[in-house]
Amino acid sequence: MPIAGKLITLEGGEGAGKSTQLTRLAERLEAGGSRVLRLREPGGTPLGETMRDVLKRPGSVIAPEAEALLFAACRAQLVAEVIAPALAAGAVVLCDRFIDSTVAYQSGGRGLDRAAIEAANRLACGALRPHLTILLDLDPSRGLGRASLRDHGRSDRFEALGEEFHRRVRASYHALVREEPARFRVLDADRSPDLISEEIWHEVQARFA
Ligand code: TMP
């Protein structure tokens, strides 16, 4: 039986390889007969893609509180317009970043109140939670180096925040895993993409097949 009606999210710092792994997982699920929707945050709707440019552009002046609300607004639109209908129709939804990114970056990284971020996430998603979250864990110095190579040395607004910021993001992800160990699978992202995609595939099979 193909896997159906699941929300699987990929999380991690910069340069962790989320989009590569999302593509590989989507291809394997599709080969098994699942209907798969590939999404990224911010993005996936006209509103989200417009805000993505604004949020990532190095010159954008955005207060941390406004930034958190903009990510939540994009998520609210994505859930209402795309994710909820797709899950109801039996698709597997793969999302590159979701609620945990806002906790890790805007609370862990920026230092905003965790409860306020959770409230914004609840407003955006209602009762919807990921069925599985893959955390691709990588030391920020490695990740930022990889992202810089990928982007030919041009940092976006978040990459430019430097290593200390990204260490707080990583610590916040680790705290989330301790709070909800059953939802997460943590994988060391400093290994070959083939090995990582095998482990993700086994995890998905073990949970849902
Ligand atoms: P990415 O697609 O390259 O991961 O870019 C998205 C950037 O936005 C990344 O630096 C993480 C950041 N981000 C947040 O700070 N909070 C969020 O809620 C989300 C979804 C992304």
Side-chain angles (χ1 to χ4, degrees):
M1 274 277 283
I3 298 167
K6 302 292 178 201
L7 172 61
I8 301 174
T9 59
L10 279 93
E11 295 280 357
E14 313 300 319
K18 292 179 284 82
S19 60
T20 303
Q21 293 301 334
L22 188 140
T23 302
R24 291 178 176 215
L25 177 58
E27 284 166 357
R28 289 184 95 158
L29 284 163
E30 280 160 355
S34 294
R35 214 148 42 76
V36 179
L37 199 61
R38 309 174 191 197
L39 299 172
R40 65 176 181 182
E41 273 211 4
T45 65
L47 175 73
E49 290 298 328
T50 303
M51 290 317 306
R52 181 182 181 85
D53 286 343
V54 174
L55 283 158
K56 292 188 68 156
R57 196 182 303 143
S60 292
V61 178
I62 308 173
E65 292 79 1
E67 182 182 281
L69 291 168
L70 287 171
F71 281 117
C74 294
R75 182 162 308 127
Q77 189 64 33
L78 187 67
V79 168
E81 188 179 326
V82 183
I83 297 180
L87 290 173
V92 178
V93 178
L94 303 183
C95 201
D96 183 337
R97 299 194 180 281
F98 199 58
I99 47 175
D100 304 307
S101 279
T102 318
V103 175
Y105 280 76
Q106 278 63 55
S107 180
R110 298 282 196 204
L112 294 182
D113 178 55
R114 168 82 188 270
I117 299 297
E118 295 287 356
N121 274 341
R122 266 199 310 282
L123 184 62
C125 302
L128 177 68
R129 309 283 292 180
H131 297 96
L132 166 65
T133 299
I134 305 286
L135 174 60
L136 295 177
D137 184 47
L138 186 61
D139 186 274
S141 63
R142 286 278 291 146
L144 289 167
R146 280 194 198 173
S148 172
L149 273 180
R150 178 194 65 201
D151 303 336
H152 310 290
R154 284 186 297 271
S155 303
D156 68 25
R157 234 178 105 249
F158 290 96
E159 286 156 11
L161 289 171
E163 223 174 287
E164 269 319 302
F165 176 90
H166 290 282
R167 291 205 180 284
R168 294 196 295 278
V169 169
R170 187 187 195 196
S172 179
Y173 274 128
H174 289 171
L176 279 164
V177 173
R178 285 194 296 276
E179 287 172 24
E180 268 189 272
R183 176 163 66 88
F184 283 92
R185 173 71 197 266
V186 184
L187 295 174
D188 175 3
D190 202 3
R191 297 174 303 153
S192 88
D194 287 350
L195 195 58
I196 296 168
S197 57
E198 273 311 302
E199 290 181 358
I200 292 176
W201 182 240
H202 282 126
E203 183 70 31
V204 167
Q205 293 286 105
R207 290 200 187 217
F208 306 128

